[in-house]
Every structure is written in C-alpha cells, then in structure tokens.
Amino acid sequence: MSHPFESLTPDLVLDAVESLGYLSDARVLALNSYENRVYQVGIEDEQPLIAKFYRPQRWSDAAIREEHAFALELADCEVPVVAPLVRDGESLFEHAGFRFALFPRRGGRAPEPGNLDQLYRLGGLLGRLHAVGASRPFEHREALKVQNFGHDSLATLLDGGFVPKSLLPAYESVARDLLARLDGLFAATPYRAIRIHGDCHPGNLLCRDDSFHIVDLDDCRMGPPVQDLWMMLAGDRQERLGQLAELMDGYQEFHDFEPRQLALIEGLRALRLIHYSAWLARRWDDPAFPPSFPWFGSERYWGEQILILREQRAALDEEPLRLF
C-alpha cells in the first residue's frame, strides 16, 4: 500500500497555499522534516511562507488546534515563538485530504554548546515559556509519562520484531529493568505537570540578531518542566553544574523551578532513547524513512542501543545534579 505522503506533490503544496488566497511564484523547497512534511513556498512580491502538512492520523484536529493556540498565546505574551498564521479566525486548514498550517519564515542558528551567556538567555526564554504554560492545562494532548514514552515504546519494538533475534534477550532485559527503575523514580519524584515544548533540543531554539526564538511546538504536551531544560546541558558533571546554574539564573527570573525535578533528568534521557527507537519503528512504512535511516534494524545499531541503555541505567545510580 502506498503511504499518504506519496501523493503530496509540489503541485498539491502550491494548490493548498493558493487556496488561502496567496499567489505563489511556483518555487517549492522541501525542508528537513520527517514527522510531518514542511516546505518553503515562494510568494509573489512577499517573503516566502512555511507550509507544514501534518502526518495523517497522528494528532486530532483538537490537539493540533491546541498546539496553535499555545503558540499564539505565547506570542500574545511577547514570548518569541514562530506561531501559525491565522486566516479568518482559523489556523488549521485542509486541502485534498491533508491538514496544513502556514508559518512566517524565521531563520537562525542553534545555541553554541556550553556558551554560558547564551544559557542565561535561554533560561529566561524557557522561564517565560513555562510561565505561560503553567497558566492552564492542555485538554486534548497527551502527557509525557513512563507508560506511553517507555512501556508502550518497548511494546512497539518487541511486538513488531524490530530487534534482531540475536540481540533480543539482551535488549529486552536491559530495557525492562530500566523501565522498572523509571516507574519507581517518577513515583517517588512528585512534580507539577504543565504545558511544555516537549522536544526542546537546541535545534528548536534558534538565534538570530542576538535574540532567540522558539520553533516547532509539534510535540508540546503536559509534562515536567525539566524536560525542556535538560537538553541544554552538555559535557561532564562539573561542566553541566555550571551550565545549569546559568540556565536557572535566567529561568527563575520568570518562573519558579522545583529543584526535586533534577532527579528526573537521567530518567527522561532514558525515555527519549527508547522512544526514539520506537518512533523509527512506527514510521518505517513511510518511504522517507528507510533511505534516511538505513542503519535502523542493523545488529550494530541495536548493539549500541544495549550499551547506551546499560550506561543510562548506571547513570540513574549517580547523584542528581543540584542547584547551589
């Protein structure tokens, strides 16, 4: 069976954009995106627009509209975010069976690893994001939990036969042991779940003209605020402690942080590792995935995953990062 995205041709992209009253110059550039399909579309006598076509059957219309409403709420509060364009009171559109949204084009570069000045500013940006995120909950978007990111992801990998048989016992053993540890960790670490970005890696916080802006809220959900912070840290423990101090100095100018959440960092890292493998497995019928991730399914990949998960299990025994 063909995949739905196979019918998403350049002509269809242009027709979708022009259905909203824009006049394109017929230039379409596919951007680097796998979960959805994203294109830069040239517009006559205006700046190009970014057209995002949502993966069918992933999010409900209500969940996508919550993503858009969150972005627009952030923009209204002067938090720098790339929010969808609104036409006649609507931000989610449909054309030829595809749901799509339009965004202004915003370029930039990712933060420099370990740059303390940037971390202070990023902390302030994320504090502002979370101050808005804490004001009300999502109603239609899932929360980040050990069950859906961990146990359900492992079930996808095992039930689908994605792990080579020669490595299956070792992978299943370390993954189940790790998830049992995470069940206990999250049960013992209370936190207030708020609306978060959800996929806050440095590539989604871009710098332009010495100011940062937030992009791609596609994975926003309810979850612990520290989920949006830990991917800003890199290096050894001492380096991460210094980076955390700068990040928190900026963050807590705008939003209070619960220090006990720091105990969740290595657990959240472990969930991201297992969830990433399951994400590849769930998307393997998409023709864009096999050529882009040819190593997935190889014994080398799964052997490396076993070692990484064992290291992550050991990291759970280390003392969590602390604020000083």
Side-chain angles (χ1 to χ4, degrees):
M1 295 179 63
S2 63
H3 192 274
F5 277 143
E6 289 184 339
S7 64
L8 187 57
T9 63
D11 284 343
L12 193 154
V13 171
L14 292 174
D15 288 345
V17 172
E18 292 189 339
S19 73
L20 299 180
Y22 294 98
L23 179 61
S24 78
D25 60 12
R27 291 182 296 174
V28 179
L29 174 65
L31 302 182
N32 187 25
S33 177
Y34 294 103
E35 183 62 17
N36 304 293
R37 294 294 188 269
V38 182
Y39 303 89
Q40 178 177 293
V41 179
I43 303 297
E44 287 285 357
D45 301 322
E46 296 183 37
Q47 289 294 314
L49 294 176
I50 303 301
K52 174 181 177 180
F53 290 80
Y54 286 88
R55 178 172 292 274
Q57 301 179 337
R58 183 187 179 216
W59 294 114
S60 67
D61 287 357
I64 295 174
R65 287 192 171 96
E66 273 199 324
E67 171 206 336
H68 292 181
F70 186 31
L72 292 166
E73 184 182 354
L74 289 166
D76 286 344
C77 294
E78 300 184 348
V79 179
V81 60
V82 180
L85 300 178
V86 178
R87 304 279 289 186
D88 299 324
E90 181 59 89
S91 59
L92 179 62
F93 310 101
E94 189 274 335
H95 183 79
F98 287 100
R99 297 170 299 171
F100 72 100
L102 298 179
F103 298 81
R105 184 181 66 173
R106 295 284 188 274
R109 62 185 185 277
E112 300 172 13
N115 185 310
L116 298 183
D117 178 60
Q118 288 190 349
L119 283 168
Y120 176 82
R121 289 185 288 153
L122 287 171
L125 175 58
L126 294 174
R128 295 166 66 192
L129 185 156
H130 287 171
V132 176
S135 64
R136 71 189 73 180
F138 282 133
E139 296 181 4
H140 302 285
R141 301 183 74 85
E142 68 176 15
L144 193 168
K145 296 182 178 179
V146 178
Q147 181 61 47
N148 57 359
F149 265 58
H151 293 286
D152 293 349
S153 294
L154 180 59
T156 293
L157 297 171
L158 300 182
D159 295 346
F162 290 96
V163 185
K165 290 183 178 179
S166 60
L167 298 173
L168 179 58
Y171 182 84
E172 182 175 2
S173 175
V174 68
R176 290 197 185 282
D177 185 38
L178 191 53
L179 290 174
R181 296 279 303 276
L182 297 186
D183 284 331
L185 172 64
F186 277 73
T189 311
Y191 61 87
R192 182 192 173 201
I194 65 170
R195 292 179 296 173
I196 59 173
H197 184 288
D199 189 28
C200 201
H201 58 77
N204 280 335
L205 296 169
L206 300 181
C207 181
R208 184 178 184 180
D209 299 328
D210 289 328
S211 62
F212 285 96
H213 58 270
I214 301 163
V215 299
D216 193 8
L217 286 167
D218 192 66
D219 285 295
C220 64
R221 63 192 69 236
M222 300 295 293
V226 74
Q227 167 66 9
D228 284 348
L229 302 173
W230 68 265
M231 280 183 275
M232 298 297 106
L233 309 178
D236 61 29
R237 180 180 177 84
Q238 286 304 121
E239 290 174 317
R240 285 182 286 133
L241 283 170
Q243 294 164 13
L244 178 64
E246 288 296 320
L247 193 66
M248 284 293 105
D249 280 350
Y251 183 93
Q252 297 198 104
E253 288 187 10
F254 299 96
H255 190 63
D256 290 334
F257 181 76
E258 303 168 325
R260 61 176 175 266
Q261 290 185 55
L262 295 175
L264 297 175
I265 288 179
E266 296 306 329
L268 290 166
R269 193 191 310 275
L271 288 177
R272 187 173 179 85
L273 289 166
I274 298 173
H275 184 264
Y276 179 74
S277 294
W279 173 69
L280 291 174
R282 290 166 179 150
R283 301 294 180 253
W284 207 241
D285 64 337
D286 184 330
F289 275 66
S292 300
F293 306 94
W295 34 260
F296 182 66
S298 68
E299 289 200 349
R300 179 176 179 178
Y301 172 77
W302 291 104
E304 290 173 346
Q305 290 303 301
I306 291 168
L307 293 176
I308 291 171
L309 293 186
R310 285 173 176 167
E311 291 172 354
Q312 203 56 41
R313 184 175 58 186
L316 291 175
D317 293 327
E318 298 177 1
E319 181 184 4
L321 297 179
R322 295 184 179 277
L323 296 176
F324 295 100

